[in-house]
Amino acid sequence: MDSRPLLSVIVPCFNEQEVIEETHKRLSETLTQVQGGVEIIYVNDGSRDRTVELLFAIQARDPTVRVISLSRNFGHQLAVTAGMDAAAGEAAVLIDADLQDPPAVILEMVELWRQGYDVVYGTRSEREGETSFKRVSAKYFYRILNMLSEVPIPLDTGDFRLVSRQVLETMKSMREYDRFVRGMVSWVGYRQIALPYKRAPRFAGVSKYPFWKMVRFAGDGILSFSIVPLRLATWIGVVTAGLGFLGIFYALVLRLFTSNWVSGWTLLFIAIVLMGGIQLVMLGVLGEYIGRLYRASKNRPLYVVGDRRGFGDPPPPPRR
Ligand code: UDP
Ligand code: MG
């Protein structure tokens, strides 16, 4: 690479063989309108279909394209991270591979960046072609996250965004393992602005976020940006202990002033089950945080690169 491009566009791809050609066509068409040079970094996140072959073919015919192929599926957030680590541009744009984020919006993002903003994040004003379950759950997730989080995280905002070199450098120094990139960008600060856009339906293929993955992602968001779930134990403890004291008082009054001694085991049974349940749930919450500490303490690299193309470095040694 001779000089630093103006813009690096980062596209995480996991089993996107149905869309990738069309995505590249539309993306590169749009990017011809950006003055100052661009690079497109496709990150293959351990796809099990033909995505990586298609990406290598695209790279072979288009000198603005770089491909990073991870050694296995590391997940969307780590794929994006690998792209950000490799980006050379003055600014970088994160965009999904499925054309749900319209490439034309990138031009508006660049315009706002030129006006002096460090982060331009796309906010979904409308979502088409997504199940109502996904829409409703996403809506409440972002609101709950915001209530719990220590830094305000913008509502209805995904990873589609532009970040300046300054933000990129800060993000590169944040090596946390359980990553929630959109929250991390909020944490960094600087001048940030929302850019509303209409989220289109997926061009082809199916969502790579099935239900359980979405739940885990939501959990990552909350657990990485809030310790409120830990405090919950204290609050619930105070309330139940208070109830317990009331119960003692009630039993004493009955014992001393009436002949009507508490009978039956129902209340006792309910209390035991309730307390046992709460304690197990809170142990689980503790476990989540401890698990994260454990993962962080191992200090492993965040991802492993299997192959890189188009970065101008020598080809990797052949694999046996
Ligand atoms: N993705 C990825 N690794 C994964 C899952 C998804 O790189 O393990 C990519 C995927 O190829 C797409 C983006 O992340 O470019 C968003 O995924 P998807 O469109 O399936 O999610 P949805 O829009 O349905 O939330
Ligand atoms: Mg999508």
Side-chain angles (χ1 to χ4, degrees):
M1 223 177 310
D2 16 297
S3 66
R4 177 173 282 238
L6 186 82
L7 198 64
S8 304
V9 178
I10 298 161
V11 194
C13 309
F14 177 52
N15 295 346
E16 300 287 10
Q17 62 180 12
E18 293 92 356
V19 297
I20 205 66
E21 292 284 354
E22 182 68 19
T23 303
H24 182 64
K25 190 168 142 254
R26 293 206 203 162
L27 204 54
S28 50
E29 262 169 30
T30 308
L31 292 175
T32 53
Q33 296 171 55
V34 177
Q35 306 296 316
V38 293
E39 62 173 0
I40 307 178
I41 304 176
Y42 290 104
V43 184
N44 168 45
D45 185 17
S47 299
R48 287 181 274 272
D49 62 1
R50 294 189 54 245
T51 302
V52 73
E53 286 99 50
L54 296 174
L55 288 176
F56 285 160
I58 291 172
Q59 192 277 322
R61 62 171 197 259
D62 186 337
T64 65
V65 170
R66 335 247 174 264
V67 178
I68 300 172
S69 187
L70 302 183
S71 64
R72 62 170 172 84
N73 180 246
F74 279 87
H76 178 200
Q77 302 290 294
L78 287 171
V80 166
T81 303
M84 290 171 92
D85 289 344
E90 292 295 340
V93 167
L94 315 179
I95 186 169
D96 282 358
D98 57 1
L99 292 169
Q100 281 198 283
D101 310 324
V105 176
I106 295 178
L107 302 176
E108 296 172 51
M109 288 181 168
V110 170
E111 195 41 52
L112 284 166
W113 168 57
R114 288 210 163 106
Q115 287 172 22
Y117 289 99
D118 290 282
V119 175
V120 186
Y121 54 86
T123 294
R124 300 149 178 184
S125 58
E126 266 175 63
R127 306 168 73 122
E128 277 178 24
E130 287 182 307
T131 59
S132 45
F133 172 73
K134 181 144 188 166
R135 278 207 292 256
V136 171
S137 59
K139 182 173 167 198
Y140 287 104
F141 164 65
Y142 285 115
R143 278 154 188 81
I144 292 172
L145 175 64
N146 219 279
M147 263 163 40
L148 299 180
S149 163
E150 287 138 35
V151 285
I153 297 175
L155 301 176
D156 305 320
T157 298
D159 284 330
F160 184 32
R161 60 184 64 218
L162 177 148
V163 295
S164 67
R165 170 65 30 200
Q166 211 166 12
V167 174
L168 210 55
E169 288 302 325
T170 314
M171 294 281 294
K172 276 164 78 171
S173 70
M174 298 162 75
R175 303 316 281 176
E176 58 205 70
Y177 194 87
D178 298 284
R179 300 173 84 79
F180 188 67
V181 172
R182 53 201 76 167
M184 291 165 67
V185 175
S186 297
W187 183 90
V188 171
Y190 296 119
R191 293 188 67 196
Q192 309 213 356
I193 188 172
L195 178 63
Y197 74 100
K198 230 170 101 175
R199 189 152 159 97
R202 189 174 240 287
F203 177 76
V206 292
S207 171
K208 306 303 176 309
Y209 270 100
F211 176 71
W212 59 269
K213 234 175 170 178
M214 243 161 62
V215 171
R216 208 171 63 191
F217 183 62
D220 274 342
I222 291 172
L223 296 173
S224 307
F225 281 88
S226 171
I227 54 162
V228 174
L230 282 176
R231 291 206 187 111
L232 220 56
T234 319
W235 297 338
I236 296 176
V238 167
V239 171
T240 48
L243 283 176
F245 280 117
L246 279 180
I248 292 173
F249 183 69
Y250 174 66
L252 273 178
V253 169
L254 284 185
R255 181 79 182 91
L256 293 175
F257 304 110
T258 70
S259 57
N260 189 9
W261 181 232
V262 182
S263 67
W265 50 273
T266 319
L267 201 63
L268 197 67
F269 181 73
I270 292 174
I272 291 173
V273 170
L274 189 74
M275 280 314 299
I278 292 173
Q279 282 173 354
L280 283 179
V281 168
M282 289 320 305
L283 263 183
V285 171
L286 264 181
E288 282 294 326
Y289 283 93
I290 293 174
R292 274 146 218 272
L293 278 174
Y294 169 62
R295 259 204 306 259
S297 71
K298 283 192 281 194
N299 230 341
R300 289 190 185 163
L302 296 179
Y303 53 84
V304 179
V305 176
D307 206 346
R308 280 157 64 96
R309 301 273 170 99
F311 287 92
D313 32 39
R319 243 178 280 144
R320 254 157 297 181

